[in-house]
Amino acid sequence: KQEVTQIPAALSVPEGENLVLNCSFTDSAIYNLQWFRQDPGKGLTSLLLIQSSQREQTSGRLNASLDKSSGRSTLYIAASQPGDSATYLCAASEGRAYAETSYDKVIFGPGTSLSVIP
Amino acid sequence: KAGVTQTPRYLIKTRGQQVTLSCSPISGHRSVSWYQQTPGQGLQFLFEYFSETQRNKGNFPGRFSGRQFSNSRSEMNVSTLELGDSALYLCASSSRPGLGKERTGELFFGEGSRLTVL
């Protein structure tokens, strides 16, 4: 049974710092790993998606890496800003990328609550 | 391109009543999945629909049901509401490009429907 954990549960940093959020999953048979951001009371915003054949993805100040063999993914945020304050969730997808009707199963981690202090 | 639209955004019900929530996916997306988010349990998968068929189901009682229409819009219904059903209900859409074509499995979420049961 796939389990996804995230460390730390909460993080508070001063503005400008670089930081790393960690995500671990127990079953390496995933076909993607997705990072999301959630603001209070809002839906989830997709940040980065890494296919199982990829090692990392970058978007602006964000970089996500995936190591299936160790069951880990990290989200690196460079030069943090107060606007980055939110909860960050990772999600591991089990299924088949080439099967139109694959029965996907997406397991979410509990999230890391990030606060960037001005 | 319009995003995922969920209605209503907020609603208040009393125990024993039933509720129907609606989700319109991104144009062209044929897969719709539903999630329940609570402070105690985090994000939990309810079910996924593709081509009007339920493809996968999470561990929720039979009071939770859903359906998908030919235009890919989806509804979920909760009957005989309990206090514990108070939650943010999130809908996500995903594209499935067709057999033999690789899909990313990227999920795009709506803003959610906040249900309060009194």
Side-chain angles (χ1 to χ4, degrees), chain A residues 31-32 34 36 38 41-49 51 53 89 91 93 95-106 108-110, chain B residues 9-10 30 35 37 42-43 45 48 50 54-56 88 90 94 96-112 114:
Chain A
Y31 84 95
N32 73 37
Q34 196 167 356
F36 296 90
Q38 185 176 32
K42 302 286 189 178
L44 277 65
T45 300
S46 178
L47 295 174
L48 289 166
L49 178 142
Q51 296 288 90
S53 57
L89 298 100
S93 295
R96 291 177 292 158
Y98 283 90
E100 184 179 51
T101 58
S102 170
Y103 294 1
D104 283 357
K105 192 170 185 180
V106 182
F108 281 83
Chain B
R9 289 292 314 280
Y10 304 92
R30 294 186 291 160
Y35 298 83
Q37 187 177 36
L43 258 168
F45 171 74
E48 181 198 6
F50 173 68
Q54 188 180 88
R55 299 290 177 172
N56 204 355
L88 179 66
L90 293 163
S94 180
R96 288 179 180 263
L99 191 63
K101 295 181 182 178
E102 186 180 21
R103 59 191 180 95
T104 67
E106 186 171 10
L107 297 175
F108 297 89
F109 281 84
E111 289 292 337
R114 171 74 64 185

Side-chain angles (χ1 to χ4, degrees), chain B:
Chain B
K1 195 174 186 180
V4 178
T5 303
Q6 291 188 246
T7 57
R9 289 292 314 280
Y10 304 92
L11 65 166
I12 299 174
K13 294 285 187 177
T14 56
R15 280 181 299 176
Q17 287 187 310
Q18 73 160 11
V19 65
T20 298
L21 309 178
S22 178
C23 173
S24 292
I26 290 172
S27 177
H29 285 192
R30 294 186 291 160
S31 171
V32 174
S33 51
W34 288 88
Y35 298 83
Q36 181 196 66
Q37 187 177 36
T38 59
Q41 298 297 319
L43 258 168
Q44 292 186 290
F45 171 74
L46 280 158
F47 27 65
E48 181 198 6
Y49 284 87
F50 173 68
S51 292
E52 302 177 61
T53 302
Q54 188 180 88
R55 299 290 177 172
N56 204 355
K57 190 177 189 302
N59 297 323
F60 279 82
R63 300 185 297 108
F64 292 81
S65 63
R67 59 178 175 169
Q68 186 179 36
F69 302 94
S70 58
N71 61 358
S72 294
R73 188 177 71 86
S74 178
E75 290 181 347
M76 68 162 284
N77 182 276
V78 188
S79 62
T80 319
L81 284 167
E82 301 177 359
L83 295 179
D85 296 333
S86 294
L88 179 66
Y89 289 88
L90 293 163
C91 162
S93 79
S94 180
S95 68
R96 288 179 180 263
L99 191 63
K101 295 181 182 178
E102 186 180 21
R103 59 191 180 95
T104 67
E106 186 171 10
L107 297 175
F108 297 89
F109 281 84
E111 289 292 337
S113 293
R114 171 74 64 185
L115 170 64
T116 301
V117 182
L118 303 176

Side-chain angles (χ1 to χ4, degrees), chain A residues 44-98:
Chain A
L44 277 65
T45 300
S46 178
L47 295 174
L48 289 166
L49 178 142
I50 312 174
Q51 296 288 90
S52 63
S53 57
Q54 299 171 329
R55 295 298 299 271
E56 67 178 325
Q57 284 288 331
T58 298
S59 176
R61 295 182 294 108
L62 306 179
N63 175 279
S65 66
L66 174 65
D67 184 344
K68 284 182 59 177
S69 61
S70 65
R72 293 182 181 178
S73 177
T74 60
L75 178 66
Y76 175 83
I77 302 178
S80 59
Q81 303 170 358
D84 294 331
S85 297
T87 296
Y88 291 80
L89 298 100
C90 67
S93 295
E94 299 174 341
R96 291 177 292 158
Y98 283 90

